[in-house]
Amino acid sequence: MLDKCQHKDMNITRGIDHARKFKAAKREYVDEVFGPRQLYLHLLATHPDYQLHGAGTRLVGRGIEVARKEGLNLTLVAQPTAAGFYTHIGFSSTGNITITSVDEDEKFTYPVMAYNFTSR
Ligand SMILES: CC(C)(COP(=O)(O)OP(=O)(O)OC[C@H]1O[C@@H](n2cnc3c(N)ncnc32)[C@H](O)[C@@H]1OP(=O)(O)O)[C@@H](O)C(=O)NCCC(=O)NCCS
C-alpha cells in the first residue's frame, strides 16, 4: 500500500527499486533511530465504505495499548494524505523519508511519525 499510493506510473522495475529504497530508508530513519524497543505499525487501512467511523483510531489504539504496556517506541511511516489522521490521534512527525524513482523523474515523500506517550 505504501508503495502504490503516490505512484502515477508503476511498473515492476520501478516497484522493486522503490521497495528496496524504502526498506533502506526505513532502516536508517526508523529502525536505527528508534532502536529495537520499538513497535512499528505497518500497513493500516480502513475500507473506504467505513472510513471516518472510528475504525482507524481503534486499530491504532491497540498498538498504543501494547506499546505503552511494554514500554516501546511506537512508530510508523505515513502516507502524506494520512499524516493528519496520525497527528490527530497523538503522533508527531520526526522527519521525512524521500525516495527518488529509478528514472529520477519522481520523488516520493513519507513522514516518519512517533507517538507522544508523555502528552497523552
Ligand atoms: C487513514 C485511515 C486509516 C483513517 O481511518 P479511519 O477509520 O477513517 O479513521 P477514524 O474514523 O478513526 O478517524 C479518526 C479521526 O481522524 C480524522 N481523520 C481521518 N482521516 C484523516 C486524514 N486523512 N487526515 C486528517 N484527519 C483524518 C477523522 O476526521 C477523525 O476525526 P474526529 O475524531 O474529530 O472525528 C483511512 O482513511 C484509510 O484507510 N486511508 C487510506 C489508506 C491510508 O492512507 N492508510 C494509511 C497508510 S500510512
Side-chain angles (χ1 to χ4, degrees):
M1 180 184 65
L2 274 181
D3 299 335
K4 278 186 194 163
C5 299
Q6 293 181 61
H7 286 224
K8 299 180 189 88
D9 178 27
M10 178 55 78
N11 62 40
I12 192 76
T13 307
R14 289 167 76 86
I16 290 170
D17 177 75
H18 188 88
R20 185 180 57 76
K21 288 173 180 166
F22 185 89
K23 194 172 168 187
K26 190 238 172 200
R27 197 179 305 122
E28 182 177 350
Y29 294 101
V30 182
D31 299 346
E32 288 176 13
V33 174
F34 293 97
R37 293 205 50 78
Q38 173 185 179
L39 180 61
Y40 175 75
L41 298 180
H42 184 61
L43 298 183
L44 173 75
T46 301
H47 188 284
D49 292 352
Y50 299 94
Q51 287 175 5
L52 303 178
H53 287 84
T57 302
R58 286 201 297 280
L59 283 167
V60 179
R62 178 67 183 135
I64 295 169
E65 191 184 306
V66 171
R68 192 191 301 277
K69 191 171 166 206
E70 304 290 328
L72 303 173
N73 290 314
L74 183 64
T75 61
L76 56 88
V77 179
Q79 280 294 331
T81 51
F85 163 72
Y86 293 114
T87 303
H88 185 75
I89 59 178
F91 285 79
S92 294
S93 172
T94 63
N96 289 313
I97 286 176
T98 300
I99 294 173
T100 305
S101 66
V102 66
D103 304 319
E104 301 196 341
D105 60 346
E106 282 185 279
K107 282 192 192 299
F108 305 97
T109 300
Y110 305 98
V112 175
M113 306 191 84
Y115 188 73
N116 303 308
F117 285 101
T118 49
S119 60
R120 297 269 155 172

